[in-house]
Amino acid sequence: MSTDQITAKRVSTDNTSANNISTNHTKTKHISVKRYLPDSSTETFWQEYDLPVDDSTSLLDALNHIKEQLDSTLSYRWSCRMAICGSCGVMVNGIPKLGCKTFLRDYEGDIRIEPLAHFPVQRDLVVDMAIFLEHLAAVKPYLIDDNPVKPYDPNAPETYRQTPEQLERYKQFANCINCGLCYSACPQFGLNQEFLGPAALTLAHRYNLDSRDSGKKERMAELNRHDGVWSCTFVGFCSKVCPKNVDPAAAVNQGKVEAAKHTLIALFKG
Amino acid sequence: MDKSSSQRLPPLKRNWWLKHRFFKLYMLREATVLPLVFFTLCLLAGMVALLQGAESWQGWIAFMGSPIVLLLNLLALAASLYHAATFFVLFPRVMPIRIAGHSLPDQVIVAGQWAGVVVVALLFFWLLGRG
Ligand code: SF4
Ligand code: FES
């Protein structure tokens, strides 16, 4: 592209310009947000907002617009606005979504925003994720190496080595950003909050598959029980909603195979 | 772990699965077991009839030929094929097959499973043709 064209694009303000590849058609869209303001009432209510949107407006942009221009009392979480921090999850028309990865151009008609399902609501779109964090911590999601090849020597620290093939085995499951969307998608977690749930079981599997880890036995105590992998009935919605293509349903069900093997081996060992 | 450390919500209501198309399809997948139970009961009745003698065996054959039973068993066939289709797609995700460090593509595993179904069906028809 020549410099002239770039300048032409920069200065062009009308959308009809042939050079202008941006699709800046500003429209007004209507969204409904489920509000909960515990200081003034214990009842939730729906509030309607009209906002200007163009093809690049994400739901998070829309919420920011509401907060900055229309109604500063609205509460919601966000940080990175690029699908990395995992804090902007909400329900959009009943489906768990990241606000920053959801674009209003994809919605015609109703847009209903609610806090993430299956979590206690603290205020507006802000939920209490404590139980999710507890379930994550329960599976010991870190490298456990009780029996290192060599004792640690601070003068000559050795790094762990791993081949690309070994990395490949768990890499997909390591992409989780702890957004919790899969918990809002999981009816089994909705039915029983003690169920460790998709992300925690995936994280456990991720470490079990890691060549540098030897903590599988310890994690099995958590995984191989009713509230572990065995509560999963492979509904599979968790994998559909996951914004990072982690496929938690696959990890949980691979975990079932591992748990079954573990039980069998324990049986034979007596 | 301290179970009382965080707040727990009450369980979902029984009709939770009516909320989405996705959950309804899941329930349909699970419900395929119902016509299959009927088919299994039919087979069981057939065994009992066989033990009881020629007369009840003829009765069972007549029962199996009646339109409503045929219809229900066709439904069972359709249900089991639907269940197989959903299961075959899930299988490679649960049991990824790795050969020489590389995982086999999902489609190959799905195709392999359907090939298995065809082989078993052909074997069955061949046996039937001989008998
Ligand atoms: S598995 Fe996916 S949906 Fe679940 S917490 Fe991780 S990134 Fe979010
Ligand atoms: S704001 Fe960080 S994931 Fe959306």
Side-chain angles (χ1 to χ4, degrees), chain A residues 143-215:
Chain A
L143 289 179
I144 298 175
D145 187 4
D146 291 340
N147 205 359
V149 194
K150 266 199 211 160
Y152 180 69
D153 175 3
N155 296 320
E158 288 246 355
T159 49
Y160 284 106
R161 300 206 176 174
Q162 193 163 57
T163 65
E165 287 76 31
Q166 287 171 328
L167 169 69
E168 207 47 53
R169 294 202 64 200
Y170 68 83
K171 198 169 161 218
Q172 176 188 13
F173 302 137
N175 285 338
C176 172
I177 57 170
N178 299 346
C179 63
L181 298 196
C182 48
Y183 283 68
S184 292
C186 177
Q188 298 300 349
F189 178 67
L191 290 163
N192 167 25
Q193 304 242 302
E194 302 312 325
F195 173 38
L196 289 177
L201 293 167
T202 303
L203 204 56
H205 192 56
R206 172 245 173 280
Y207 281 98
N208 286 344
L209 288 176
D210 195 317
S211 58
R212 302 163 296 179
D213 180 88
S214 55

Side-chain angles (χ1 to χ4, degrees), chain A residues 43-95:
Chain A
E43 297 290 310
T44 60
F45 62 98
W46 287 95
Q47 190 155 355
E48 319 286 322
Y49 300 100
D50 282 318
L51 15 109
V53 302
D54 65 24
D55 282 354
S56 70
T57 308
S58 69
L59 173 58
L60 179 61
D61 294 333
L63 294 175
N64 284 339
H65 179 87
I66 296 174
K67 180 100 179 162
E68 284 158 17
Q69 314 284 334
L70 307 174
D71 181 352
S72 62
T73 65
L74 182 68
S75 302
Y76 54 98
R77 282 202 187 103
W78 68 285
S79 174
C80 71
R81 49 113 186 93
M82 53 196 282
I84 282 297
C85 72
S87 50
C88 64
V90 290
M91 306 297 277
V92 183
N93 294 348
I95 312 277

Side-chain angles (χ1 to χ4, degrees), chain A residues 94 134 194 233-234 247 254, chain B residues 5 8 20 26 29 93-94:
Chain A
E134 274 170 26
E194 302 312 325
T233 56
F234 216 145
D247 202 352
Q254 290 176 22
Chain B
S5 51
R8 261 75 171 154
H20 289 306
Y26 160 74
R29 182 190 92 193
R93 288 164 60 197
V94 180

Side-chain angles (χ1 to χ4, degrees), chain A residues 4-26:
Chain A
D4 295 0
Q5 272 174 307
I6 295 175
T7 334
K9 236 174 71 190
R10 285 234 183 93
V11 294
S12 106
T13 44
D14 69 13
N15 292 329
T16 51
S17 155
N19 267 332
N20 193 340
I21 48 161
S22 116
T23 45
N24 236 348
H25 310 298
T26 310

Side-chain angles (χ1 to χ4, degrees), chain A residues 130-131 134-135 138 194 222, chain B residues 1-8:
Chain A
I131 187 169
E134 274 170 26
H135 288 343
E194 302 312 325
E222 280 291 318
Chain B
M1 196 174 58
D2 183 9
K3 298 279 185 202
S4 60
S5 51
S6 68
Q7 201 187 334
R8 261 75 171 154

